[in-house]
Amino acid sequence: MQEQTMWALTKKKPEAGLWMERVPIPEVGPNDVKIKIHKTAICGTDVHIYQWNDWARHTIPVGLTAGHEYVGEIVEVGSGVDGHNVGDLVSGEGHITCGKCRNCLEGHKENCRDAKGVGVNRNGAFAEYLVIPSSNVWSCRPNIPEELYAIFDPFGNATHTARSFDVLGEDVLISGAGPIGIMAAAIAKFSGARHVVVTDMNEYRLELARKLGATRTINLNEEKLDQVMKSIGMTEGFDVGMEMSGSPKALHDMIHNMKHGGKIALLGLQGRETAVDLETVIFNGLTLKGIYGRKVWDTWYTMTTMIEAGLDISPIITHHFDIRDYEKGFEAMISGQSGKVILDWSHINESES
């Protein structure tokens, strides 16, 4: 019997790029579902894989199918699956957890010690079909646009970070105007923050942050944080900080512009060499909290209900490409002149004709 194949974007060679090639269609286990991919989005992690940077070279096996931000339709369910049916529109949690460690058993799957990433540690969603455990499937609601579900993964990062501390009536500092930082600004404002200040050096993305709810943006090439704080009437520092950039300088500046007793959520990945001024952290009574992934399923529920309550994150999607033009999508992401980039898989097989 001839093996069935599908189109997928793979790391075919240990060098820059991704390659569209035919690979075997994944098999469905008793507790799995098979999803026909409708749309995917490009993540910063996918860009690292595409560019083949140092992290990717030490993490990604050659031959891997990339991608973990997606929406699609269930086309097959395993014999043991209950609650999901063929024809359902779904997205999914990208961290496949072990279900056995202490955190999983306590309901804190986001802290699973043995989590495996879709599109990082196992084949991902840049393909015609994806197979994942049914326990990782999130059912989509018809009143939410399909393409928004394609970015629920990064929206979840933003939600997990922005909801780590109470922001009602507070002054919030967000360092890093990438798509996740921008969505965090939208969430903070929607959640009742007074000032939401976003810092970066990319004017395109600072403009996006303003569109999505930032009350003040700072281009660090042109303005200084302390001067802006004075201009908006702040005297004691920010109540809540969200470090999204991974920049050691941004973290240093944030720590030194918090009020005493301020709280900082850390999502941006800092290098091992980053120095932290612990003296200031201790004497100023600051709280630093590391954020990884999304809470399962708390974050997903909050994302859904915020959109239903009127939060509009749609402007963060700035580019749409047919999957056959995926290289243009990566170029848009790498340029920094984009928000989220959506890749449409509906015409993939027309390339064969």
Side-chain angles (χ1 to χ4, degrees), residues 18 52 72 78 91 116 132 141 170 182 185 201 272 283 301 312 316 341 352:
L18 285 171
W52 203 232
S91 185
K116 300 292 187 290
I132 59 169
R141 298 187 183 182
E170 302 284 54
I182 294 171
M201 292 176 284
R272 294 180 183 274
F283 279 110
Y301 180 78
D312 183 12
I316 198 63
V341 174
E352 294 181 296

Side-chain angles (χ1 to χ4, degrees), residues 90-303:
V90 297
S91 185
E93 169 57 46
H95 292 148
I96 311 295
T97 55
C98 72
K100 300 175 182 178
C101 69
R102 176 179 174 181
N103 279 314
C104 282
L105 293 173
E106 290 178 348
H108 299 294
K109 291 183 178 181
E110 70 275 11
N111 291 324
C112 174
R113 60 184 293 175
D114 294 316
K116 300 292 187 290
V118 172
V120 175
N121 308 117
R122 54 183 282 163
N123 285 330
F126 286 165
E128 289 186 76
Y129 299 99
L130 172 71
V131 169
I132 59 169
S134 63
S135 57
N136 278 68
V137 173
W138 181 259
S139 297
C140 299
R141 298 187 183 182
N143 59 332
I144 294 177
E146 183 179 275
E147 69 175 17
L148 291 186
Y149 278 111
I151 63 168
F152 256 42
D153 182 290
F155 180 30
N157 293 143
T159 301
H160 188 185
T161 307
R163 301 297 295 139
S164 292
F165 303 113
D166 186 11
V167 298
L168 179 62
E170 302 284 54
D171 295 327
V172 176
L173 173 63
I174 299 174
S175 54
I180 295 175
I182 294 171
M183 287 189 284
I187 296 162
K189 188 59 182 173
F190 185 78
S191 301
R194 180 174 70 159
H195 297 301
V196 181
V197 178
V198 180
T199 65
D200 205 294
M201 292 176 284
N202 182 324
E203 192 55 43
Y204 178 95
R205 286 185 165 168
L206 289 172
E207 174 60 27
L208 261 185
R210 290 190 286 272
K211 288 181 180 178
L212 271 88
T215 59
R216 186 69 159 82
T217 59
I218 302 175
N219 188 324
L220 295 172
N221 287 324
E222 301 171 1
E223 295 183 290
K224 292 186 178 180
L225 181 57
D226 57 352
Q227 295 171 341
V228 171
M229 290 167 65
K230 289 179 182 178
S231 73
I232 59 178
M234 290 181 57
T235 57
E236 294 191 23
F238 289 92
D239 304 291
V240 176
M242 304 178 199
E243 207 306 289
M244 308 297 219
S245 69
S247 162
K249 186 178 187 307
L251 177 58
H252 179 273
D253 290 347
M254 180 172 285
I255 287 172
H256 288 86
N257 285 283
M258 301 297 295
K259 74 162 189 176
H260 285 230
K263 300 175 176 65
I264 297 175
L266 303 167
L267 182 75
L269 187 59
Q270 298 282 335
R272 294 180 183 274
E273 72 285 354
T274 298
V276 178
D277 181 1
L278 291 177
E279 180 177 316
T280 298
V281 171
I282 293 166
F283 279 110
N284 290 5
L286 303 182
T287 298
L288 273 61
K289 180 180 181 181
I291 306 295
Y292 180 67
R294 297 144 299 280
K295 290 186 177 182
V296 182
W297 291 100
D298 312 45
T299 300
W300 290 78
Y301 180 78
T302 301
M303 287 189 280

